[in-house]
Amino acid sequence: MSVSDTKVEHLLVIDDNEAIHNDFQKIFAASPAHDDLMALDAELFGEESEPQAPSPSYALSFASQGRQGLQIVQQAKQRGVHFGAAFVDMRMPPGWDGVQTIQRLWEVDPDLQVVICTAFSDHSWNEIARRLGRTDKLLVLKKPFDEIEAVQLATSLCEKRRLLDDHRRSLSELTKTVASQQSKLESAHQNAEVLIDSISSILICLDRDRCVTRWNPHAENTFDIKADDAIGRALPELSIAWSDAAKLESLLRADSSQAPQHDEIQFVDRCGGKRTLDIRISPLCDAASAAMLVVATDVTRQRFIQAQLDQSRRLESVGQLAAGVAHEINTPMQYIGDNVRYVAKTIDRLSQLLDCLPAFVDQSVSDAELIELRHAIDGCDNARKVRTALEQVPDALVDSIDGVEAVSKIVAAMKELSHPGTGKKSQLCINHVLQSTIAVARNEWKYVAEIQTDLDDQLLPIDGLPSELNQAFLNIIINASHAIGERAERHELDKGVISICTRDLGDAVQVTISDNGGGIPAAIRKRVFEPFFTTKDVGKGTGQGLAIAHSVIVQKHRGKLWFDVDDEVGTTFTIQIPRCPQAAAVSESIGAMP
C-alpha cells in the first residue's frame, strides 16, 4: 500500500494525564503495523488476503490543558487542517474543565466531533447536555476504555466529519452556483424587460379572464392609459373608444390555441383622430392556462399611404384606359349628335309647313287662295321630306336614348373605378361590379375577344370594397385580353373568348374568369402573384396587376384566389369572396388551391 493511498485523519487528545497521551499514541500507531504484519503474512505463506480499503493513518496532537488544545485547533485551522475528532478529559485542573474546553473549541471549529473521556460520575449527561446543548457532535467514553472503542469512535467520527465537510463544501458550491445562475437569470430578466420595453409595438398580456397582466410603455403612449390603471382590468372595459367593440370581443373569444387571430381594428384617440391597429392574438403559454398575448402595431400611416397608392393605381388604370374609353364614348356621342341634328332639321322643315296652317282656318281666305296654297304645298319638296322624316324621327330618338344610356354606363363605371373609396366595406352586388368592369375595359377586349357572361341572377349582396374589387377584376380581364391578343398576333386564332361566371356558394360568392389565351407557362406559374413580376416588354406592364388582385381578394376580403391552366388552351382564375368575412389569420400562401 503506497503512502499516497493512505488517508490521514487528524485527532486531538486533551488530557492532563501524560499516560493517557501514551495510550492513545499506542492505539492509533498500531494500525500501520497491523497492515505491515498482514503484508508479511501474505509474503511468507503465499496467501493473499482479499483487497481491503486502505486503513486511515492518524496524526495525533496532544494538549494537557484546554487553553493549549484551543491554540492547537486555531493554529491548525490557519494551516487549513481540520481535526476529525477530539478526545477531551472532563477534569483538567487547574484550567478549564472539559465542558468549558469544548465550548471554546466549538467557537473556533463548530463541526469538530468531540468525545468526553471521564472516569468520574459527578457530571451527569443531563448536566453536560444542559451546558453544551443536545447535539450529535458529542459522545461520552468512560475510563478505562478498550482500544477497540477508541478506534471505532475515531473511525466513525472522522468519517462523519469528512462527510460533513464534503456536504458543506458541496452545499457551498451549490449555493455559489445557484447565486450565479440567479444572477444570470436576474440579468436575463432585466435584459428581457429592457427589450420588451423597447419594442415599438403594443404588447399586452391577458389572463384567462381577459384581464390585463402586462401593459408595456408603447401601450401607455398609444392609449394614454398608465400601466397601473390598466393592469387587473378587463381589456374591453378600459376607456378606449373602439370603433367596433364587437370585433374586439370576437377576437378575444376566438380559439387562439388553434391559430393566432389576426385582424385590423380602429379606435379613436384622445385627440379625436381615428387610428388603425394591426392586431394579433396568440396563446401565451399552454392551452390550459388560457392566457393570451396581444401584439398590436399602429398602421394608421401605412393604411393612409396604402389608400393613396391604391388610388394612384386606380387613376393609373383610368389613364391607361382613357383613350379606349374616349373612343367608346365618342362613338355613341357621334350618332347621338347626328340624330339630334336630323331631328332639328326635320323640325325646321315641319315649322315651314305649320306656318301655312292658319290660312286653312282663316275665314277671310278665299277658296281660290286655299286651292293655290294646297297646290303649293303639294309641289313643295319639304313636305315630302317631312313625311319621311316623321317616320324616322322615333327611331332616331330611340337610338339617341340608347347612346345616352351607353355613355352614362361608361361614365358611371369609370366613376366607380376611380372612386377613392371610404375604406369601409359595404353591401354590393358582384354582378354589378363585373358589368361595370366589362364596360370600362371594353376597348381592351372588343378587338380581340368576345365576352360571354353567365351571371347568377339570384346572387345575394356581399360585404366588400367596390372600387378595390373593380380594380381586381379589371386587372384579370385585361391580362386575359392581352394573352388572347398575343395569340391573335401569332395567328393562332381570329378572335378569343373571355367567359365570366358567378355562383352563390352559400357563405361565399364565386367568380370565374376564363380565357383561351393559351395558358400561363409552367415556369412562371409560381410567380404570377409576385409584385413587379411581368413577362411583358418594358413599358407594356408593371407586374402589379395580379399582385394587386391577390392583395384585394386575399388580404382585404379574406377570400381565395387561384388559377387553373389548360396547357395550350387557356387559364381560369377562380375568386371566392366570403359573404361576411370573420376575423381570421390571413393566409400567406400565394396562388394555392384551397
Side-chain angles (χ1 to χ4, degrees), residues 558-569:
R558 301 290 194 267
K560 299 176 182 178
L561 170 62
W562 73 92
F563 59 86
D564 298 295
V565 178
D566 188 356
D567 291 329
E568 304 299 329
V569 178

Side-chain angles (χ1 to χ4, degrees), residues 102-121:
I102 294 169
Q103 289 175 333
R104 301 300 192 278
L105 293 178
W106 279 348
E107 290 176 0
V108 177
D109 187 355
D111 294 328
L112 180 63
Q113 306 298 304
V114 178
V115 179
I116 294 178
C117 302
T118 180
F120 301 95
S121 58

Side-chain angles (χ1 to χ4, degrees), residues 174-224:
L174 181 60
T175 301
K176 291 179 181 178
T177 302
V178 170
S180 175
Q181 294 301 319
Q182 184 176 3
S183 175
K184 291 179 180 178
L185 183 61
E186 291 175 354
S187 177
H189 178 71
Q190 292 175 355
N191 291 337
E193 289 294 323
V194 172
L195 179 62
I196 291 173
D197 290 344
S198 64
I199 291 176
S200 61
S201 296
I202 297 168
L203 191 67
I204 303 171
C205 295
L206 305 177
D207 61 16
R208 62 170 58 251
D209 297 322
R210 307 302 182 255
C211 292
V212 177
T213 58
R214 185 178 190 90
W215 188 266
N216 76 335
H218 201 73
E220 291 184 331
N221 296 333
T222 301
F223 298 115
D224 197 19

